[in-house]
Amino acid sequence: MLIMRGTDESNAAMMADIDEMMATTRQFIEDLFKAGVYVAAEGLDDPRQGVVVDFSGEAPVVTDGPYGETKELFGGFFLLDVASREEAVEWAKRVPAARGSKIEVRRVPGSDEAPPAGE
């Protein structure tokens, strides 16, 4: 999974030229599809539209966004089916992203890799 992370500044830069960003993102997704590695991709709405459900106390507490002192915002993801971490990293380097953004590369374990219940 390629997790898109940005700051307020990088998100503003992306929104300043959203038409070009959307066009390059569509091309990137097409490249993923042609390479046979595309599984899914989604962007997320503005964090001010979200809520946080905090389980720190006895009862969950719901707080409207934006998320306080967040330095990086999770903006969306690309889910790929690749053979190695190195291949995922190579795709991550090609993600159309604004200066200041980061792409976190994380492996999604298969259901057969989950520990048995009760362990």
Side-chain angles (χ1 to χ4, degrees), residues 84-118:
S84 67
R85 181 175 122 172
E86 293 74 24
E87 184 179 358
V89 168
E90 289 305 312
W91 282 108
K93 290 178 182 178
R94 295 178 56 189
V95 170
R99 181 178 292 284
S101 300
K102 295 179 182 176
I103 303 295
E104 180 180 346
V105 179
R106 300 271 305 270
R107 185 173 169 274
V108 179
S111 59
D112 60 332
E113 296 176 85

PDB file of all heavy atoms in Angstrom, residues 84-118:
ATOM      1  N   SER A  84       7.605  -7.404  -4.596  1.00  0.00           N
ATOM      2  CA  SER A  84       8.598  -7.102  -3.571  1.00  0.00           C
ATOM      3  C   SER A  84       8.440  -5.683  -3.046  1.00  0.00           C
ATOM      4  O   SER A  84       7.793  -4.841  -3.671  1.00  0.00           O
ATOM      5  CB  SER A  84      10.010  -7.245  -4.153  1.00  0.00           C
ATOM      6  OG  SER A  84      10.223  -6.232  -5.127  1.00  0.00           O
ATOM      7  N   ARG A  85       9.075  -5.447  -1.913  1.00  0.00           N
ATOM      8  CA  ARG A  85       9.113  -4.099  -1.339  1.00  0.00           C
ATOM      9  C   ARG A  85       9.811  -3.145  -2.301  1.00  0.00           C
ATOM     10  O   ARG A  85       9.386  -1.997  -2.475  1.00  0.00           O
ATOM     11  CB  ARG A  85       9.836  -4.146   0.003  1.00  0.00           C
ATOM     12  CG  ARG A  85       9.900  -2.820   0.693  1.00  0.00           C
ATOM     13  CD  ARG A  85      10.522  -2.989   2.041  1.00  0.00           C
ATOM     14  NE  ARG A  85      11.681  -2.120   2.097  1.00  0.00           N
ATOM     15  CZ  ARG A  85      12.380  -1.904   3.179  1.00  0.00           C
ATOM     16  NH1 ARG A  85      12.093  -2.537   4.282  1.00  0.00           N
ATOM     17  NH2 ARG A  85      13.379  -1.074   3.175  1.00  0.00           N
ATOM     18  N   GLU A  86      10.864  -3.613  -2.925  1.00  0.00           N
ATOM     19  CA  GLU A  86      11.609  -2.785  -3.863  1.00  0.00           C
ATOM     20  C   GLU A  86      10.732  -2.333  -5.038  1.00  0.00           C
ATOM     21  O   GLU A  86      10.818  -1.177  -5.467  1.00  0.00           O
ATOM     22  CB  GLU A  86      12.857  -3.526  -4.367  1.00  0.00           C
ATOM     23  CG  GLU A  86      13.901  -3.771  -3.289  1.00  0.00           C
ATOM     24  CD  GLU A  86      13.540  -4.873  -2.281  1.00  0.00           C
ATOM     25  OE1 GLU A  86      12.734  -5.764  -2.613  1.00  0.00           O
ATOM     26  OE2 GLU A  86      14.056  -4.799  -1.151  1.00  0.00           O
ATOM     27  N   GLU A  87       9.910  -3.235  -5.541  1.00  0.00           N
ATOM     28  CA  GLU A  87       9.006  -2.868  -6.632  1.00  0.00           C
ATOM     29  C   GLU A  87       7.996  -1.831  -6.156  1.00  0.00           C
ATOM     30  O   GLU A  87       7.698  -0.868  -6.870  1.00  0.00           O
ATOM     31  CB  GLU A  87       8.292  -4.104  -7.177  1.00  0.00           C
ATOM     32  CG  GLU A  87       7.423  -3.796  -8.377  1.00  0.00           C
ATOM     33  CD  GLU A  87       6.712  -5.023  -8.943  1.00  0.00           C
ATOM     34  OE1 GLU A  87       6.903  -6.149  -8.442  1.00  0.00           O
ATOM     35  OE2 GLU A  87       5.956  -4.824  -9.911  1.00  0.00           O
ATOM     36  N   ALA A  88       7.474  -1.994  -4.948  1.00  0.00           N
ATOM     37  CA  ALA A  88       6.539  -1.007  -4.385  1.00  0.00           C
ATOM     38  C   ALA A  88       7.208   0.359  -4.253  1.00  0.00           C
ATOM     39  O   ALA A  88       6.610   1.393  -4.567  1.00  0.00           O
ATOM     40  CB  ALA A  88       6.028  -1.484  -3.030  1.00  0.00           C
ATOM     41  N   VAL A  89       8.458   0.362  -3.813  1.00  0.00           N
ATOM     42  CA  VAL A  89       9.201   1.622  -3.674  1.00  0.00           C
ATOM     43  C   VAL A  89       9.382   2.292  -5.035  1.00  0.00           C
ATOM     44  O   VAL A  89       9.231   3.515  -5.163  1.00  0.00           O
ATOM     45  CB  VAL A  89      10.561   1.386  -2.976  1.00  0.00           C
ATOM     46  CG1 VAL A  89      11.457   2.610  -3.096  1.00  0.00           C
ATOM     47  CG2 VAL A  89      10.348   1.003  -1.522  1.00  0.00           C
ATOM     48  N   GLU A  90       9.675   1.511  -6.058  1.00  0.00           N
ATOM     49  CA  GLU A  90       9.833   2.090  -7.392  1.00  0.00           C
ATOM     50  C   GLU A  90       8.535   2.749  -7.862  1.00  0.00           C
ATOM     51  O   GLU A  90       8.556   3.816  -8.463  1.00  0.00           O
ATOM     52  CB  GLU A  90      10.326   1.044  -8.392  1.00  0.00           C
ATOM     53  CG  GLU A  90      11.779   0.648  -8.168  1.00  0.00           C
ATOM     54  CD  GLU A  90      12.730   1.840  -8.160  1.00  0.00           C
ATOM     55  OE1 GLU A  90      12.656   2.695  -9.081  1.00  0.00           O
ATOM     56  OE2 GLU A  90      13.550   1.933  -7.227  1.00  0.00           O
ATOM     57  N   TRP A  91       7.397   2.103  -7.597  1.00  0.00           N
ATOM     58  CA  TRP A  91       6.114   2.717  -7.931  1.00  0.00           C
ATOM     59  C   TRP A  91       5.880   3.966  -7.084  1.00  0.00           C
ATOM     60  O   TRP A  91       5.383   4.974  -7.580  1.00  0.00           O
ATOM     61  CB  TRP A  91       4.964   1.721  -7.772  1.00  0.00           C
ATOM     62  CG  TRP A  91       4.844   0.762  -8.906  1.00  0.00           C
ATOM     63  CD1 TRP A  91       5.144  -0.572  -8.906  1.00  0.00           C
ATOM     64  CD2 TRP A  91       4.418   1.055 -10.233  1.00  0.00           C
ATOM     65  NE1 TRP A  91       4.922  -1.114 -10.150  1.00  0.00           N
ATOM     66  CE2 TRP A  91       4.470  -0.132 -10.981  1.00  0.00           C
ATOM     67  CE3 TRP A  91       3.988   2.217 -10.867  1.00  0.00           C
ATOM     68  CZ2 TRP A  91       4.106  -0.199 -12.323  1.00  0.00           C
ATOM     69  CZ3 TRP A  91       3.629   2.157 -12.210  1.00  0.00           C
ATOM     70  CH2 TRP A  91       3.690   0.962 -12.930  1.00  0.00           C
ATOM     71  N   ALA A  92       6.236   3.919  -5.816  1.00  0.00           N
ATOM     72  CA  ALA A  92       6.046   5.073  -4.928  1.00  0.00           C
ATOM     73  C   ALA A  92       6.812   6.287  -5.446  1.00  0.00           C
ATOM     74  O   ALA A  92       6.332   7.424  -5.355  1.00  0.00           O
ATOM     75  CB  ALA A  92       6.490   4.727  -3.507  1.00  0.00           C
ATOM     76  N   LYS A  93       7.978   6.060  -6.010  1.00  0.00           N
ATOM     77  CA  LYS A  93       8.784   7.159  -6.551  1.00  0.00           C
ATOM     78  C   LYS A  93       8.097   7.843  -7.731  1.00  0.00           C
ATOM     79  O   LYS A  93       8.410   8.979  -8.069  1.00  0.00           O
ATOM     80  CB  LYS A  93      10.152   6.652  -7.003  1.00  0.00           C
ATOM     81  CG  LYS A  93      11.061   6.252  -5.864  1.00  0.00           C
ATOM     82  CD  LYS A  93      12.367   5.719  -6.441  1.00  0.00           C
ATOM     83  CE  LYS A  93      13.336   5.239  -5.412  1.00  0.00           C
ATOM     84  NZ  LYS A  93      14.569   4.694  -6.025  1.00  0.00           N
ATOM     85  N   ARG A  94       7.149   7.145  -8.348  1.00  0.00           N
ATOM     86  CA  ARG A  94       6.454   7.676  -9.531  1.00  0.00           C
ATOM     87  C   ARG A  94       5.123   8.343  -9.197  1.00  0.00           C
ATOM     88  O   ARG A  94       4.489   8.919 -10.090  1.00  0.00           O
ATOM     89  CB  ARG A  94       6.221   6.550 -10.529  1.00  0.00           C
ATOM     90  CG  ARG A  94       7.524   5.983 -11.084  1.00  0.00           C
ATOM     91  CD  ARG A  94       7.299   4.848 -12.033  1.00  0.00           C
ATOM     92  NE  ARG A  94       6.413   5.236 -13.140  1.00  0.00           N
ATOM     93  CZ  ARG A  94       5.914   4.377 -14.017  1.00  0.00           C
ATOM     94  NH1 ARG A  94       6.205   3.099 -13.944  1.00  0.00           N
ATOM     95  NH2 ARG A  94       5.119   4.786 -14.985  1.00  0.00           N
ATOM     96  N   VAL A  95       4.687   8.273  -7.952  1.00  0.00           N
ATOM     97  CA  VAL A  95       3.412   8.879  -7.573  1.00  0.00           C
ATOM     98  C   VAL A  95       3.466  10.385  -7.844  1.00  0.00           C
ATOM     99  O   VAL A  95       4.420  11.047  -7.447  1.00  0.00           O
ATOM    100  CB  VAL A  95       3.098   8.627  -6.078  1.00  0.00           C
ATOM    101  CG1 VAL A  95       1.898   9.452  -5.629  1.00  0.00           C
ATOM    102  CG2 VAL A  95       2.844   7.148  -5.822  1.00  0.00           C
ATOM    103  N   PRO A  96       2.453  10.920  -8.517  1.00  0.00           N
ATOM    104  CA  PRO A  96       2.426  12.367  -8.703  1.00  0.00           C
ATOM    105  C   PRO A  96       2.084  13.027  -7.368  1.00  0.00           C
ATOM    106  O   PRO A  96       0.998  12.846  -6.836  1.00  0.00           O
ATOM    107  CB  PRO A  96       1.311  12.584  -9.737  1.00  0.00           C
ATOM    108  CG  PRO A  96       0.509  11.335  -9.734  1.00  0.00           C
ATOM    109  CD  PRO A  96       1.367  10.234  -9.199  1.00  0.00           C
ATOM    110  N   ALA A  97       3.037  13.743  -6.819  1.00  0.00           N
ATOM    111  CA  ALA A  97       2.845  14.340  -5.497  1.00  0.00           C
ATOM    112  C   ALA A  97       3.435  15.735  -5.474  1.00  0.00           C
ATOM    113  O   ALA A  97       4.425  16.015  -6.150  1.00  0.00           O
ATOM    114  CB  ALA A  97       3.521  13.468  -4.431  1.00  0.00           C
ATOM    115  N   ALA A  98       2.825  16.601  -4.672  1.00  0.00           N
ATOM    116  CA  ALA A  98       3.321  17.965  -4.523  1.00  0.00           C
ATOM    117  C   ALA A  98       4.565  17.970  -3.638  1.00  0.00           C
ATOM    118  O   ALA A  98       4.741  17.089  -2.786  1.00  0.00           O
ATOM    119  CB  ALA A  98       2.234  18.839  -3.893  1.00  0.00           C
ATOM    120  N   ARG A  99       5.431  18.950  -3.847  1.00  0.00           N
ATOM    121  CA  ARG A  99       6.623  19.107  -3.009  1.00  0.00           C
ATOM    122  C   ARG A  99       6.189  19.172  -1.543  1.00  0.00           C
ATOM    123  O   ARG A  99       5.230  19.832  -1.201  1.00  0.00           O
ATOM    124  CB  ARG A  99       7.374  20.370  -3.388  1.00  0.00           C
ATOM    125  CG  ARG A  99       8.640  20.567  -2.573  1.00  0.00           C
ATOM    126  CD  ARG A  99       9.416  21.793  -2.974  1.00  0.00           C
ATOM    127  NE  ARG A  99      10.018  21.733  -4.294  1.00  0.00           N
ATOM    128  CZ  ARG A  99      11.119  21.028  -4.591  1.00  0.00           C
ATOM    129  NH1 ARG A  99      11.711  20.299  -3.681  1.00  0.00           N
ATOM    130  NH2 ARG A  99      11.606  21.040  -5.806  1.00  0.00           N
ATOM    131  N   GLY A 100       6.901  18.430  -0.702  1.00  0.00           N
ATOM    132  CA  GLY A 100       6.575  18.384   0.723  1.00  0.00           C
ATOM    133  C   GLY A 100       5.727  17.184   1.109  1.00  0.00           C
ATOM    134  O   GLY A 100       5.538  16.911   2.281  1.00  0.00           O
ATOM    135  N   SER A 101       5.206  16.477   0.112  1.00  0.00           N
ATOM    136  CA  SER A 101       4.413  15.269   0.379  1.00  0.00           C
ATOM    137  C   SER A 101       5.332  14.098   0.673  1.00  0.00           C
ATOM    138  O   SER A 101       6.517  14.137   0.358  1.00  0.00           O
ATOM    139  CB  SER A 101       3.540  14.914  -0.830  1.00  0.00           C
ATOM    140  OG  SER A 101       2.654  15.952  -1.138  1.00  0.00           O
ATOM    141  N   LYS A 102       4.766  13.059   1.246  1.00  0.00           N
ATOM    142  CA  LYS A 102       5.492  11.817   1.488  1.00  0.00           C
ATOM    143  C   LYS A 102       4.602  10.655   1.086  1.00  0.00           C
ATOM    144  O   LYS A 102       3.380  10.737   1.174  1.00  0.00           O
ATOM    145  CB  LYS A 102       5.855  11.670   2.966  1.00  0.00           C
ATOM    146  CG  LYS A 102       6.816  12.719   3.464  1.00  0.00           C
ATOM    147  CD  LYS A 102       7.106  12.513   4.935  1.00  0.00           C
ATOM    148  CE  LYS A 102       8.040  13.597   5.434  1.00  0.00           C
ATOM    149  NZ  LYS A 102       8.267  13.480   6.876  1.00  0.00           N
ATOM    150  N   ILE A 103       5.242   9.580   0.664  1.00  0.00           N
ATOM    151  CA  ILE A 103       4.528   8.339   0.382  1.00  0.00           C
ATOM    152  C   ILE A 103       5.076   7.284   1.329  1.00  0.00           C
ATOM    153  O   ILE A 103       6.270   6.979   1.308  1.00  0.00           O
ATOM    154  CB  ILE A 103       4.721   7.871  -1.081  1.00  0.00           C
ATOM    155  CG1 ILE A 103       4.273   8.944  -2.071  1.00  0.00           C
ATOM    156  CG2 ILE A 103       3.993   6.543  -1.312  1.00  0.00           C
ATOM    157  CD1 ILE A 103       2.804   9.268  -2.041  1.00  0.00           C
ATOM    158  N   GLU A 104       4.212   6.757   2.167  1.00  0.00           N
ATOM    159  CA  GLU A 104       4.597   5.679   3.080  1.00  0.00           C
ATOM    160  C   GLU A 104       4.282   4.358   2.387  1.00  0.00           C
ATOM    161  O   GLU A 104       3.182   4.169   1.874  1.00  0.00           O
ATOM    162  CB  GLU A 104       3.812   5.796   4.386  1.00  0.00           C
ATOM    163  CG  GLU A 104       4.137   4.731   5.383  1.00  0.00           C
ATOM    164  CD  GLU A 104       3.344   4.878   6.674  1.00  0.00           C
ATOM    165  OE1 GLU A 104       2.738   5.937   6.913  1.00  0.00           O
ATOM    166  OE2 GLU A 104       3.321   3.892   7.435  1.00  0.00           O
ATOM    167  N   VAL A 105       5.248   3.463   2.348  1.00  0.00           N
ATOM    168  CA  VAL A 105       5.064   2.152   1.714  1.00  0.00           C
ATOM    169  C   VAL A 105       4.878   1.130   2.824  1.00  0.00           C
ATOM    170  O   VAL A 105       5.756   0.951   3.667  1.00  0.00           O
ATOM    171  CB  VAL A 105       6.279   1.779   0.837  1.00  0.00           C
ATOM    172  CG1 VAL A 105       6.096   0.404   0.212  1.00  0.00           C
ATOM    173  CG2 VAL A 105       6.511   2.849  -0.238  1.00  0.00           C
ATOM    174  N   ARG A 106       3.716   0.476   2.836  1.00  0.00           N
ATOM    175  CA  ARG A 106       3.414  -0.524   3.862  1.00  0.00           C
ATOM    176  C   ARG A 106       2.874  -1.778   3.202  1.00  0.00           C
ATOM    177  O   ARG A 106       2.109  -1.719   2.250  1.00  0.00           O
ATOM    178  CB  ARG A 106       2.333   0.004   4.830  1.00  0.00           C
ATOM    179  CG  ARG A 106       2.678   1.267   5.572  1.00  0.00           C
ATOM    180  CD  ARG A 106       3.379   1.049   6.880  1.00  0.00           C
ATOM    181  NE  ARG A 106       2.700   0.187   7.808  1.00  0.00           N
ATOM    182  CZ  ARG A 106       1.826   0.626   8.725  1.00  0.00           C
ATOM    183  NH1 ARG A 106       1.514   1.893   8.814  1.00  0.00           N
ATOM    184  NH2 ARG A 106       1.274  -0.236   9.550  1.00  0.00           N
ATOM    185  N   ARG A 107       3.256  -2.905   3.726  1.00  0.00           N
ATOM    186  CA  ARG A 107       2.782  -4.200   3.234  1.00  0.00           C
ATOM    187  C   ARG A 107       1.440  -4.523   3.885  1.00  0.00           C
ATOM    188  O   ARG A 107       1.243  -4.289   5.074  1.00  0.00           O
ATOM    189  CB  ARG A 107       3.802  -5.278   3.595  1.00  0.00           C
ATOM    190  CG  ARG A 107       3.476  -6.625   3.025  1.00  0.00           C
ATOM    191  CD  ARG A 107       4.639  -7.600   3.279  1.00  0.00           C
ATOM    192  NE  ARG A 107       4.222  -8.929   2.963  1.00  0.00           N
ATOM    193  CZ  ARG A 107       3.594  -9.743   3.806  1.00  0.00           C
ATOM    194  NH1 ARG A 107       3.360  -9.375   5.036  1.00  0.00           N
ATOM    195  NH2 ARG A 107       3.214 -10.936   3.420  1.00  0.00           N
ATOM    196  N   VAL A 108       0.519  -5.041   3.102  1.00  0.00           N
ATOM    197  CA  VAL A 108      -0.769  -5.511   3.623  1.00  0.00           C
ATOM    198  C   VAL A 108      -0.693  -7.028   3.708  1.00  0.00           C
ATOM    199  O   VAL A 108      -0.648  -7.703   2.680  1.00  0.00           O
ATOM    200  CB  VAL A 108      -1.938  -5.085   2.706  1.00  0.00           C
ATOM    201  CG1 VAL A 108      -3.263  -5.612   3.252  1.00  0.00           C
ATOM    202  CG2 VAL A 108      -1.979  -3.576   2.541  1.00  0.00           C
ATOM    203  N   PRO A 109      -0.628  -7.590   4.931  1.00  0.00           N
ATOM    204  CA  PRO A 109      -0.529  -9.047   5.050  1.00  0.00           C
ATOM    205  C   PRO A 109      -1.803  -9.737   4.558  1.00  0.00           C
ATOM    206  O   PRO A 109      -2.894  -9.182   4.657  1.00  0.00           O
ATOM    207  CB  PRO A 109      -0.345  -9.291   6.543  1.00  0.00           C
ATOM    208  CG  PRO A 109      -0.172  -7.969   7.182  1.00  0.00           C
ATOM    209  CD  PRO A 109      -0.617  -6.919   6.205  1.00  0.00           C
ATOM    210  N   GLY A 110      -1.634 -10.930   4.032  1.00  0.00           N
ATOM    211  CA  GLY A 110      -2.781 -11.722   3.604  1.00  0.00           C
ATOM    212  C   GLY A 110      -3.547 -12.273   4.785  1.00  0.00           C
ATOM    213  O   GLY A 110      -3.019 -12.370   5.913  1.00  0.00           O
ATOM    214  N   SER A 111      -4.784 -12.674   4.573  1.00  0.00           N
ATOM    215  CA  SER A 111      -5.611 -13.196   5.655  1.00  0.00           C
ATOM    216  C   SER A 111      -5.003 -14.481   6.240  1.00  0.00           C
ATOM    217  O   SER A 111      -5.221 -14.809   7.408  1.00  0.00           O
ATOM    218  CB  SER A 111      -7.034 -13.454   5.185  1.00  0.00           C
ATOM    219  OG  SER A 111      -7.019 -14.376   4.109  1.00  0.00           O
ATOM    220  N   ASP A 112      -4.224 -15.206   5.440  1.00  0.00           N
ATOM    221  CA  ASP A 112      -3.596 -16.429   5.920  1.00  0.00           C
ATOM    222  C   ASP A 112      -2.399 -16.131   6.838  1.00  0.00           C
ATOM    223  O   ASP A 112      -1.833 -17.037   7.441  1.00  0.00           O
ATOM    224  CB  ASP A 112      -3.149 -17.304   4.752  1.00  0.00           C
ATOM    225  CG  ASP A 112      -2.152 -16.610   3.839  1.00  0.00           C
ATOM    226  OD1 ASP A 112      -2.189 -15.362   3.747  1.00  0.00           O
ATOM    227  OD2 ASP A 112      -1.335 -17.314   3.222  1.00  0.00           O
ATOM    228  N   GLU A 113      -2.021 -14.859   6.967  1.00  0.00           N
ATOM    229  CA  GLU A 113      -0.901 -14.488   7.799  1.00  0.00           C
ATOM    230  C   GLU A 113      -1.325 -13.970   9.180  1.00  0.00           C
ATOM    231  O   GLU A 113      -0.488 -13.675  10.010  1.00  0.00           O
ATOM    232  CB  GLU A 113      -0.061 -13.402   7.124  1.00  0.00           C
ATOM    233  CG  GLU A 113       0.572 -13.889   5.820  1.00  0.00           C
ATOM    234  CD  GLU A 113       1.306 -12.771   5.146  1.00  0.00           C
ATOM    235  OE1 GLU A 113       2.476 -12.556   5.511  1.00  0.00           O
ATOM    236  OE2 GLU A 113       0.725 -12.103   4.258  1.00  0.00           O
ATOM    237  N   ALA A 114      -2.611 -13.839   9.402  1.00  0.00           N
ATOM    238  CA  ALA A 114      -3.095 -13.337  10.681  1.00  0.00           C
ATOM    239  C   ALA A 114      -2.888 -14.402  11.759  1.00  0.00           C
ATOM    240  O   ALA A 114      -3.031 -15.610  11.482  1.00  0.00           O
ATOM    241  CB  ALA A 114      -4.567 -12.993  10.586  1.00  0.00           C
ATOM    242  N   PRO A 115      -2.532 -13.972  12.977  1.00  0.00           N
ATOM    243  CA  PRO A 115      -2.375 -14.967  14.049  1.00  0.00           C
ATOM    244  C   PRO A 115      -3.724 -15.611  14.356  1.00  0.00           C
ATOM    245  O   PRO A 115      -4.763 -14.981  14.219  1.00  0.00           O
ATOM    246  CB  PRO A 115      -1.876 -14.157  15.243  1.00  0.00           C
ATOM    247  CG  PRO A 115      -2.072 -12.736  14.904  1.00  0.00           C
ATOM    248  CD  PRO A 115      -2.269 -12.620  13.418  1.00  0.00           C
ATOM    249  N   PRO A 116      -3.718 -16.871  14.738  1.00  0.00           N
ATOM    250  CA  PRO A 116      -4.975 -17.558  15.072  1.00  0.00           C
ATOM    251  C   PRO A 116      -5.688 -16.832  16.218  1.00  0.00           C
ATOM    252  O   PRO A 116      -5.042 -16.212  17.065  1.00  0.00           O
ATOM    253  CB  PRO A 116      -4.525 -18.950  15.512  1.00  0.00           C
ATOM    254  CG  PRO A 116      -3.138 -19.121  14.971  1.00  0.00           C
ATOM    255  CD  PRO A 116      -2.555 -17.729  14.867  1.00  0.00           C
ATOM    256  N   ALA A 117      -6.996 -16.909  16.215  1.00  0.00           N
ATOM    257  CA  ALA A 117      -7.795 -16.269  17.265  1.00  0.00           C
ATOM    258  C   ALA A 117      -7.377 -16.796  18.630  1.00  0.00           C
ATOM    259  O   ALA A 117      -7.055 -17.977  18.810  1.00  0.00           O
ATOM    260  CB  ALA A 117      -9.270 -16.560  17.030  1.00  0.00           C
ATOM    261  N   GLY A 118      -7.328 -15.903  19.604  1.00  0.00           N
ATOM    262  CA  GLY A 118      -6.980 -16.286  20.958  1.00  0.00           C
ATOM    263  C   GLY A 118      -5.496 -16.282  21.256  1.00  0.00           C
ATOM    264  O   GLY A 118      -5.065 -16.603  22.340  1.00  0.00           O
TER     265      GLY A 118
END
